Amino acid sequence: MPDQSSRTVLERFPAGGPRGSWPADEYAAQQQAQGQPARVVMDLRTDSFLVIADSPAG
């Protein structure tokens, strides 16, 4: 059975950040610390990192 979840984009970050800077990962970690299941994915079309949260379809 296919995964029936929806994704919410919490924040977008440009992929061209300074070397050694990981703002998307830091933001996702902050969200996780607050109990929000967040993760980082790459959007190749817009060349940006997205912090997303998966939620079951209801």
Side-chain angles (χ1 to χ4, degrees):
M1 182 170 216
D3 181 17
Q4 297 294 319
S5 64
S6 62
R7 294 183 178 125
T8 302
V9 176
L10 302 175
E11 193 65 57
R12 296 175 183 270
F13 296 89
R19 185 174 185 175
S21 175
W22 303 98
D25 291 304
E26 293 166 2
Y27 183 81
Q30 290 172 353
Q31 296 303 304
Q32 291 170 354
Q34 296 174 7
Q36 174 71 48
R39 62 188 173 106
V40 178
V41 297
M42 178 72 186
D43 182 359
L44 295 175
R45 187 178 55 79
T46 62
D47 194 31
S48 59
F49 291 106
L50 307 178
V51 179
I52 64 169
D54 294 323
S55 58

